[in-house]
Amino acid sequence: MKYIKKKLTIEKASIQNIAARFGTPTYCYSYNQLKENINNFKKNFKSFSPLICFAIKSNTNINLIREIKKFGLGADVVSVGELMMALKAGIDPKKIVFSGVGKTSDEISYAIDKKILLINTESKSEINEIERIAKSKKKIVNIGIRLNPNTDAKTLKQISTGKKENKFGVDEKTFFNLVTYSKSSKNINLKCLSVHIGSQILSHKPYEKMLKVIDRIIQKSNYNFEFIDLGGGMGISYEKNNKKLNYQKYNIAIKKFLKNYNSKIIFEPGRSIIGNTGSLVSKVIYIKESDKKDFIILDAAMNDLMRPALYGANHKTLPALKTNQTSKKTYEFVGPICESTDKFTTLKKFQKLNEKDLVVMCDVGAYGMSLSSNYNVRTKPAEILIKGSNINIIKKRQKVEDLI
Ligand SMILES: *Cc1c(COP(=O)(O)O)cnc(C)c1O
C-alpha cells in the first residue's frame, strides 16, 4: 500500500475508487502481498520443508482460503465449521490439523469421518472421547498431544497461551501419562507433539526456549513422534517501531533441534500469512469537537474490527487522500457503537479531516473480519480482493434484511 499522486493505493486500485464502487466500511486484501508472505514463509524454512497449515480462524473468507490452498498450504482448524470451510475450499484432509481445548463429540466424529491428518488433543477426557468414538466406528485415529511448555511468549497477556496458568495444552507430567496411555490404546495412534505458545511474537527467544523444552520432553518420553507441530504465533509489524521476528534465528534453532529427530515439522501460522494483506476502508461520518480532542466518528466500528476493543491493539491509520494540512487538535477515531471501548486509535498531528473523508486502518487481514459481529444489528462489511488492477468482490456486504 502506498501513495501514488497523493492517493492511497493498494496494488493498482485507489482507495477512493474502491470506496466509490463498493461503499464503506470495506475490507480490502492485496493478493500480491499474500503471495509474497507465503513465498517468504516457505523460503525461511525451506531446508526442512514443513507442512504449513494456515490458521483458518485468523481469516475465514473462503475465497482467500482457496487462494492460500493454491500455494499448497494446509489448514489448522478449531471448530467443525472451520473444518467444513477448509474442505469446501479444497484443502486436502491429509493437510488438516484440528486444534482446540474443547472439541465436541459431533466435531470429533466428523473429523474422523473426513480422515484428517491429526486431531490435536488437550486433555485426558478428550482423548477418552476420541477413543470411544473411534472404537464405535472401528477406526484408528491419529492424534497429537498439545504440550504446555510453560514458556512466556512475551506478547500481550490476552494472546499468550503457553504458560502454565493458561488453559491450553497439558503440563509435563500429564504429557508423559498421556503418552503412556496412548501407547496402550487400540483406537488411537499418537503421532504428534504440538505446542502453540501465543500470538504476535516478535522475538525468536521464546521459540528457542520452547524448542529446548520440547527436546527435553521427547528424550524423557522416549517416543518417536512422526510430527512436531510448533503452532503459529509469528508476529508482524503493526507499528513503525515494532521489532521484526528474526526468522533466520528461529530456523537455525529448529534445524539444531532436528539433528536429533527425523520428525516432520508442522506450522500453524495465521497472522504472519494474512495480517498485512488487509486494510479496512471507512468514512468519516461526523466530527465532534471537544476541548482536548476531536472525535472522528467513523462508519466502521468495533463490530467490524474488534482488536482495539478486545486487546487494546493499535492499527496504523491513514487518510485516503493526502493533503498538506495538519490538524492542530488531537484526533480520537471512534465508531458509532454504544460502548466506550468502541474506539480505534488516538493520534496527534493527523492530517486535518472533514466529514466524508476516507480513512484506512492497516494490517487488519488477521483477526479483523473473522472477529466481526452483528452487534447493534450492524451489517458486516464487504470484502474485496485486489490483484494488480483486478478487483473482485469476495464477500458481499450483509444486508439488514439478512439479520431480521
Ligand atoms: C490461533 C492459533 C494459531 C495461529 O496463531 P497466529 O498468531 O495467527 O499465527 C495457531 N495454532 C493454534 C493452536 C491457535 O490457537
Side-chain angles (χ1 to χ4, degrees), residues 55 57 76 99 146 196 199 232-233 268-271 367:
K57 76 172 191 277
D76 167 48
S99 307
R146 178 160 169 188
H196 172 71
S199 200
E268 303 169 344
R271 190 189 312 270
Y367 309 104

Side-chain angles (χ1 to χ4, degrees), residues 279-296:
S279 315
L280 178 58
V281 181
S282 147
K283 190 157 71 185
V284 177
I285 313 177
Y286 298 117
I287 297 175
K288 182 149 119 174
E289 299 187 354
S290 82
D291 267 1
K292 294 227 167 78
K293 58 190 172 190
D294 288 352
F295 293 96
I296 305 297

Side-chain angles (χ1 to χ4, degrees), residues 51 53 93-97 115-119 142-143 191 227 266:
L51 171 62
C53 294
K94 283 286 158 256
K95 288 183 178 176
I96 299 179
V97 298
K115 301 188 174 73
I116 63 169
L117 180 66
L118 288 167
I119 302 180
N142 297 332
I143 66 159
K191 286 200 158 192
F227 300 100
I266 300 175

